[in-house]
Amino acid sequence: MSRIPHAVIIGAGFGGLAAAVRLGARGYRCTIVDRLDQPGGRARVFRKDGFVFDAGPTVITAPFLFEELWQLCGRTLSDDVDLSAVHPFYRIRYDDGSTFDYSGDAQAMRTQIAQFSPSDVEGYDAFVSHSERIFKVGFERLAHVPFLRVQDMARIVPDMIRLENHRTVSGLVQKYIKNEKVRQALSFHPLLVGGNPFSTTSIYTLIAYLERKWGVHFAMGGTKALVDGLVKLIESQQGTLRLEEEVTRICLQGNRATGVQLASGETLTADIVVSNADSVWTYKHLVDPSVRRHWTDRRLERLSSSMSLFVWYFGTDRRYEDVAHHTILLGPRFEELLRDIFQRKVLADDFSLYLHRPTATDPSLAPADHDSFYVLSPVPHLESGTDWNTQAEAYRTRIERYLEQSLLPNLSKHLKASVVLTPQGFQDDYLSFRGAAFGVEPLLTQSAYFRPHNASEDVDRLYLVGAGTHPGAGVPGVLSAARVLDRVVPDVDQLDTEASDLATCESLLRFGSRSFYLASRLLPPKVRKAAIATYAFCRQADDAIDEGQDLDSIRKRIADVYGEAHSELPTDQAPAHPADRALRKVVREHAIPKEVFDLMLQGFHWDLEGRPYESLDDLLEYCVRVASTVGVLMSTVMGRRDTEALFRACDLGVAMQLTNIARDVGEDAQSGRLYLPRDWLRSEGIDADRWLENPAFKPEIARVVARLLREADRYFASAEPGIHLLPWESRVAIQAASVAYADIGNQIRKKGFDSVNHRAYTSSRRKLWLLLKSGSKVVMPKKADSEPRLKQAEALVQTMAA
């Protein structure tokens, strides 16, 4: 068993259970860990006084997604679960007592609409046709594919424009329907996945066609029957379920997930980790902040969370035969109520409700001649400041009174069981950030590529399923997220160390070195692998020094890369960090001398000691060590090791480092470092040491920075002929990187730019534009000029060329 790749899955909700089935079918040994005393997550069950209450999802659509899971195990869904079609899908009750039976029967729907607005029947048909077109793109083509790159998002923009996905759900319905009641009946669906119909992208109108295509179903025995069936599948695959155990930390080696630590102190090692926990909670509380370059605490706090829910589960000692299985009770001020919930975040006096009566379909969920219910009220999440410990009973009583007056006469006299779940419960029981019931709100700017990705942006071999990742909340959404894992999780025979290490290196650079990362996408695959591995090590080592790590630890890592600690390192004694292991392969394949890294270490040493740079020559000597070394390494992995190419690579490294210094002058000063030549500062009347005590932007500093950028321009110009010495397939990438860096200097030079208190930034969109623009320049080779060589680079070039 120890030789079978191990997947640890955090959370036993539908997403986690489906992920385990899919991974188990691909050969992984799965362990699911959940802090609750039963599987199911939000789909757990409450039992009280003979009543059975499904805690969460009750509407089952797209049953083929469940059927697929059973087929992966050589079974059929009907072997374990009996799905019963529900009709009507929903009975919508308006505040004036009128009702609308919403179903998948086209003619019945036309009849219902005609009762309210005969002129809207034709508009309804047009709306359904539009919903179908969105469904064919949004669900059939996109719900099961990962959105990991900005290119993935760019690919669907034409379809989004054509399908009018810039509109909200309500806005698209309004295009076709005039009657307000019919509009409400056709636009409430986003509330089922935590969205506001007046702000949720019209992509979610696909739900209307999804329900019409496959119907609305209920699992006999309750949703728990589906949970139990999935657990049975997992156990048949030799998977393990560990309940009442909480994961407190995702274990890392570098930025690669290697397992989880439990509250008990036990560590479960793993080849991959899948989190079905709330996506924001996962990053904020389970992943070390030091590796979260993308999902920082600040970025997580800025995400808009979905609404929360107040849910009252209750049983009665009589049956209410005229109440449908699913009833939507719309309050007197639908739009304003939603504004209270989503925007104002206040607990309103009125409400719209969803009433679930499962005993309408399956009487076994309550004692004989009794009814089982739950009523769900959308409410703001915990940012509302509501103290649910004191407000819960009063709010429940108001709902009870409303139901008694509208739909369930004499309810208070027939109550036999009662359980309440509040937004505080969603946070305490499910560790849902802000007590949001559906995770990240489904806005256009928080959909697809803009949601937390299924393959973590920050941590290699960490994957996300559930409501907070792509494609979103709802049972079809979380099952589809598990389906995405088939695209992003490597097969068991691909879990070799080399592929994993390269993936870790790429993850290090994706958000830590955007310019290099974007440019590297243009390199041929073999060159890109070596370039990524090399730059990742240099970047990671530089970051370690910036964070105050001892130089000896970096020196030891380099020694291990070259096998100096052991004449020939066996596998179990290979370098510990993935970037080190990846670099080890590069230095062997390209015969890179260790002296290059020794020179880089000298530059790191100068960083640690806070060395002052009296003149430009002193600064250039530093730039050669920390940047020209990277330049010659890149030239080598791209296949050019001749003297001319290496000198030009040195020049490009110097140009980029001078630009970095100009960009980071304020950031460096806050750390007590100053790289600007001190004789330049003195010529402007600035005492360097006194300025460091209170770094402030002033015209004199701007002039010194501008002077430094002019030097950078000189080296960019000197480096440009070297680009044409590279193999043609690598030229565009280096040209793009050079132009993107030069543009940083252009940003700093803008009139009035405060380079001390602000860091120049070039957006990904602008980098893409610069990349396309610069690509046209790399056509004809350019004759190298006779630019004087840096004396400090001569030894480096000679060592490398040899």
Side-chain angles (χ1 to χ4, degrees):
M1 291 290 287
S2 64
R3 292 193 298 273
I4 300 174
H6 186 207
V8 170
I9 299 165
I10 306 168
F14 271 139
L17 296 173
V21 172
R22 289 187 173 278
L23 291 171
R26 293 173 59 193
Y28 283 88
R29 175 172 59 92
C30 296
T31 300
I32 307 174
V33 183
D34 198 290
R35 63 196 300 270
L36 299 178
D37 62 355
Q38 57 178 298
R42 286 166 171 76
R44 64 177 168 164
V45 168
F46 297 125
R47 299 179 187 273
K48 189 170 184 181
D49 301 330
F51 294 90
V52 179
F53 304 113
D54 282 325
T58 59
V59 178
I60 303 301
T61 56
F64 81 91
L65 290 171
F66 282 107
E67 190 67 65
E68 276 187 359
L69 299 174
W70 263 259
Q71 289 172 355
L72 288 171
C73 299
R75 299 174 59 80
T76 62
L77 179 62
S78 60
D79 291 338
D80 301 303
V81 180
D82 179 13
L83 286 183
S84 177
V86 176
H87 186 83
F89 293 169
Y90 316 96
R91 176 164 294 153
I92 299 168
R93 185 185 188 280
Y94 299 98
D95 196 57
D96 62 5
S98 59
T99 61
F100 184 114
D101 278 0
Y102 186 104
S103 71
D105 184 320
Q107 187 53 49
M109 285 291 286
R110 294 188 189 102
T111 300
Q112 290 287 304
I113 291 170
Q115 292 177 359
F116 291 90
S117 176
S119 63
D120 279 332
V121 172
E122 185 177 347
Y124 166 71
D125 288 336
F127 166 72
V128 171
S129 178
H130 197 143
S131 171
E132 180 181 6
R133 295 195 299 274
I134 292 177
F135 168 84
K136 288 184 179 298
V137 173
F139 188 80
E140 290 186 342
R141 282 177 46 195
L142 303 178
H144 311 127
V145 300
F147 280 77
L148 307 181
R149 304 172 302 165
V150 70
Q151 298 98 308
D152 298 329
M153 195 69 186
R155 189 182 69 248
I156 70 167
V157 168
D159 283 330
M160 295 178 70
I161 294 172
R162 177 174 56 83
L163 295 170
E164 301 181 60
N165 293 150
H166 61 281
R167 291 179 182 266
T168 64
V169 167
S170 179
L172 188 63
V173 171
Q174 187 173 347
K175 175 182 176 180
Y176 295 105
I177 303 297
K178 297 176 182 178
N179 181 273
E180 186 60 29
K181 287 185 176 179
V182 179
R183 285 177 180 173
Q184 292 176 2
L186 298 179
S187 64
F188 74 86
H189 286 93
L191 291 166
L192 301 178
V193 294
N196 179 355
F198 296 94
S199 59
T200 297
T201 168
S202 62
I203 291 172
Y204 284 86
T205 57
L206 66 83
I207 298 175
Y209 188 79
L210 181 147
E211 290 179 337
R212 183 168 176 171
K213 182 178 178 66
W214 283 299
V216 170
H217 305 267
F218 181 72
M220 300 302 286
T223 311
K224 183 67 161 53
L226 286 164
V227 173
D228 289 343
L230 289 170
V231 170
K232 184 177 178 181
L233 295 180
I234 293 164
E235 290 174 343
S236 73
Q237 297 172 325
Q238 309 304 309
T240 304
L241 190 64
R242 298 182 59 162
L243 300 174
E244 297 185 273
E245 300 204 53
E246 183 174 350
V247 172
T248 57
R249 181 170 67 91
I250 293 174
C251 302
L252 303 172
Q253 184 181 73
N255 76 326
R256 172 185 166 188
T258 59
V260 301
Q261 186 173 66
L262 307 181
S264 64
E266 181 184 357
T267 297
L268 303 180
T269 59
D271 296 279
I272 66 168
V273 175
V274 178
S275 180
N276 183 215
D278 178 82
S279 57
V280 177
W281 188 277
T282 296
Y283 282 117
K284 196 172 178 63
H285 296 283
L286 301 183
V287 178
D288 192 300
S290 66
V291 302
R292 288 193 274 119
R293 296 181 179 277
H294 185 77
W295 291 113
T296 61
D297 285 351
R298 181 169 178 267
R299 188 165 193 159
L300 292 168
E301 293 283 351
R302 290 170 62 186
L303 286 173
S304 178
S305 299
S306 74
M307 67 184 182
S308 192
L309 300 172
F310 179 93
V311 194
W312 177 33
Y313 310 87
F314 61 94
T316 62
D317 62 3
R318 59 156 289 187
R319 289 179 62 84
Y320 290 87
E321 299 291 359
D322 57 341
V323 176
H325 188 126
H326 303 292
T327 303
I328 310 290
L329 297 95
L330 296 177
R333 41 177 218 118
F334 186 60
E335 184 173 357
E336 279 302 304
L337 173 63
L338 294 177
R339 190 170 284 118
D340 284 343
I341 294 170
F342 286 92
Q343 297 174 22
R344 302 185 186 108
K345 295 182 176 61
V346 297
L347 187 63
D349 292 330
D350 60 324
F351 28 66
S352 289
L353 305 172
Y354 161 62
L355 182 67
H356 177 227
R357 179 180 169 245
T359 41
T361 302
D362 185 356
S364 72
L365 298 174
D369 299 320
H370 289 53
D371 259 341
S372 174
F373 293 90
Y374 86 48
V375 61
L376 176 157
S377 175
V379 294
H381 56 64
L382 291 176
E383 279 191 332
S384 70
T386 305
D387 181 359
W388 285 104
N389 290 323
T390 59
Q391 294 292 320
E393 179 54 26
Y395 196 76
R396 187 206 65 79
T397 301
R398 283 163 51 197
I399 292 175
E400 177 187 319
R401 190 178 305 120
Y402 179 83
L403 290 174
E404 192 166 46
Q405 294 170 354
S406 60
L407 202 62
L408 305 178
N410 300 313
L411 172 60
S412 59
K413 296 179 181 178
H414 293 284
L415 276 177
K416 287 300 176 182
S418 178
V419 180
V420 165
L421 178 65
T422 71
Q424 190 64 50
F426 275 92
Q427 179 169 281
D428 296 344
D429 291 359
Y430 306 128
L431 302 183
S432 183
F433 184 62
R434 295 175 180 148
F438 302 90
V440 179
E441 186 178 358
L443 304 171
L444 181 61
T445 54
Q446 295 185 164
S447 298
Y449 173 78
F450 302 112
R451 291 179 83 76
H453 294 175
N454 303 97
S456 171
E457 299 96 312
D458 291 321
V459 180
D460 183 35
R461 293 202 183 178
L462 170 63
Y463 304 93
L464 275 65
V465 294
T469 187
H470 172 69
V475 175
V478 299
L479 294 180
S480 293
R483 211 177 184 207
V484 172
L485 294 189
D486 289 344
R487 301 281 193 97
V488 297
V489 174
D491 293 333
V492 292
D493 58 355
Q494 294 178 337
L495 281 172
D496 60 279
T497 302
E498 180 184 336
S500 171
D501 290 345
L502 284 171
T504 300
C505 291
E506 185 162 357
S507 181
L508 277 170
L509 301 179
R510 189 178 297 143
F511 295 98
S513 300
R514 289 289 292 171
S515 295
F516 177 87
Y517 176 77
L518 289 173
S520 76
R521 306 289 297 181
L522 300 173
L523 291 170
K526 186 174 182 180
V527 173
R528 184 173 188 269
K529 289 179 181 179
I532 287 282
T534 304
Y535 197 85
F537 173 85
C538 297
R539 176 60 193 252
Q540 203 274 337
D542 184 55
D543 287 347
I545 293 298
D546 287 344
E547 293 163 7
Q549 188 169 333
D550 188 85
L551 192 65
D552 286 341
S553 63
I554 306 298
R555 187 174 287 111
K556 171 61 168 61
R557 288 173 59 183
I558 293 173
D560 281 353
V561 165
Y562 280 87
E564 291 185 353
H566 319 276
S567 57
E568 186 61 34
L569 290 174
T571 303
D572 61 350
Q573 293 180 332
H577 195 283
D580 301 0
R581 292 195 296 268
L583 179 65
R584 185 183 185 196
K585 185 173 187 294
V586 175
V587 299
R588 290 181 175 180
E589 286 186 354
H590 295 276
I592 295 173
K594 183 171 171 289
E595 287 81 359
V596 177
F597 293 100
D598 290 339
L599 194 65
M600 187 183 294
L601 280 174
Q602 290 180 23
F604 289 163
H605 176 67
W606 293 354
D607 282 332
L608 288 174
E609 70 178 6
R611 178 172 177 157
Y613 299 99
E614 287 296 329
S615 66
L616 177 61
D617 283 344
D618 291 341
L619 183 60
L620 293 176
E621 191 174 349
Y622 166 76
C623 291
V624 168
R625 282 160 171 73
V626 298
S628 290
T629 48
V630 178
V632 298
L633 289 170
M634 291 299 148
S635 180
T636 300
V637 301
M638 290 176 193
R640 289 306 297 261
R641 203 168 184 147
D642 55 284
T643 301
E644 179 67 21
L646 293 175
F647 268 123
R648 298 294 172 178
C650 284
D651 290 346
L652 184 56
V654 168
M656 290 180 168
Q657 187 62 29
L658 291 175
T659 305
N660 277 334
I661 291 169
R663 179 186 59 185
D664 298 337
V665 61
E667 203 172 278
D668 290 332
Q670 292 297 327
S671 302
R673 296 174 180 171
L674 181 64
Y675 294 93
L676 299 177
R678 292 184 174 231
D679 58 355
W680 288 8
L681 292 170
R682 282 194 294 272
S683 71
E684 294 286 348
I686 296 176
D687 182 290
D689 293 324
R690 291 183 62 182
W691 182 79
L692 271 175
E693 292 175 1
N694 184 26
F697 180 73
K698 53 182 65 178
E700 293 86 350
I701 291 292
R703 286 195 290 270
V704 171
V705 169
R707 188 174 173 184
L708 193 68
L709 288 172
R710 286 195 293 273
E711 281 297 318
D713 289 343
R714 190 166 73 89
Y715 283 99
F716 276 124
S718 178
E720 188 173 359
I723 295 173
H724 302 278
L725 299 176
L726 296 172
W728 67 268
E729 64 269 19
S730 297
R731 292 178 195 169
V732 174
I734 303 306
Q735 180 76 34
S738 177
V739 171
Y741 252 86
D743 188 64
I744 293 172
N746 295 334
Q747 300 295 320
I748 297 171
R749 274 186 275 242
K750 287 182 178 178
K751 186 176 180 180
F753 184 82
D754 180 351
S755 58
V756 174
N757 298 303
H758 300 282
R759 195 171 190 263
Y761 171 74
T762 301
S763 68
S764 295
R765 183 180 299 175
R766 180 169 174 80
K767 286 175 182 175
L768 183 61
W769 177 79
L770 289 168
L771 186 154
L772 295 172
K773 181 181 177 183
S774 66
S776 62
K777 292 184 177 181
V778 190
V779 182
M780 297 297 293
K782 193 172 180 181
K783 188 177 185 303
D785 58 25
S786 57
E787 182 73 26
R789 302 303 187 195
L790 279 171
K791 291 181 180 178
Q792 296 89 344
E794 289 180 356
L796 170 62
V797 170
Q798 294 303 324
T799 298
M800 204 72 187

